Amino acid sequence: RTAPLDGLRGMLTLPANGELISMFGAPDGAGGHWPGIHLGTRPGSQVTSPCDGKIMFAGPFRGYGQMLIIAANGGYHVLLAGLSQIDGSAGQVVLAGEPVGKMGSGRGGRQDVRQGQDGQQGNASKVGGERLYIEFRRNGVPVDPAPWFAALREKVSG
């Protein structure tokens, strides 16, 4: 399966069982917009790679908890953030559906609160909690990941 990600629209499986709780372009509470989507998951949910690719980054990143960046064919990078545990390392090749981490236990997850220029607290997301952040980038530019996931196509489009 070395097809570019473009050819897999509507065919990918979500990286975790969950419910779409924030769409691409939704306000981030700090005057900007999320360049990805959030899935509400159950505590301890397993996270799998949504596509074949190579892990380019695996580790903590700012307030996003544990983050994975997977390079996929066609100039795409897939970011998965908010994990509490990563089961992979940079340089590792992963296949679609392969386990790559777990979400947090849901017990007292720390909050990542973005602050806008006016000092107002923004959209809080649990770090290592029950919100999985998914972002697709093509040649460095964020693109809406929802159309790639079979489970989200109908919910987003209709």
Side-chain angles (χ1 to χ4, degrees):
R1 285 189 266 166
T2 57
L5 208 52
D6 277 333
L8 299 174
R9 281 180 184 252
M11 293 192 262
L12 300 183
T13 301
L14 286 169
N17 289 330
E19 178 182 328
L20 182 65
I21 56 175
S22 140
M23 293 177 40
F24 178 83
D28 67 3
H33 300 279
W34 287 110
I37 61 176
H38 285 95
L39 282 184
T41 68
R42 292 186 179 201
S45 293
Q46 185 170 45
V47 178
T48 59
S49 178
C51 59
D52 296 347
K54 183 177 183 180
I55 297 176
M56 303 305 290
F57 177 84
F61 186 76
R62 299 187 186 164
Y64 289 95
Q66 297 290 320
M67 179 189 290
L68 278 171
I69 300 176
I70 301 169
N73 284 337
Y76 286 91
H77 286 90
V78 176
L79 287 75
L80 302 173
L83 293 86
S84 66
Q85 173 186 324
I86 293 177
D87 299 324
S89 58
Q92 179 181 343
V93 173
V94 293
L95 300 175
E98 184 174 338
V100 292
K102 288 194 178 209
M103 297 302 289
S105 66
R107 290 179 282 194
R110 169 171 89 79
Q111 296 284 320
D112 169 33
V113 180
R114 294 184 174 202
Q115 291 193 352
Q117 291 179 335
D118 59 1
Q120 294 293 323
Q121 291 186 345
N123 191 9
S125 63
K126 282 189 176 182
V127 172
E130 299 149 340
R131 288 174 62 141
L132 176 64
Y133 178 71
I134 305 166
E135 183 177 312
F136 281 20
R137 290 183 167 261
R138 182 164 194 211
N139 300 320
V141 178
V143 295
D144 186 358
W148 272 267
F149 296 110
L152 298 180
R153 281 189 73 148
E154 292 179 12
K155 290 180 183 177
V156 173
S157 65

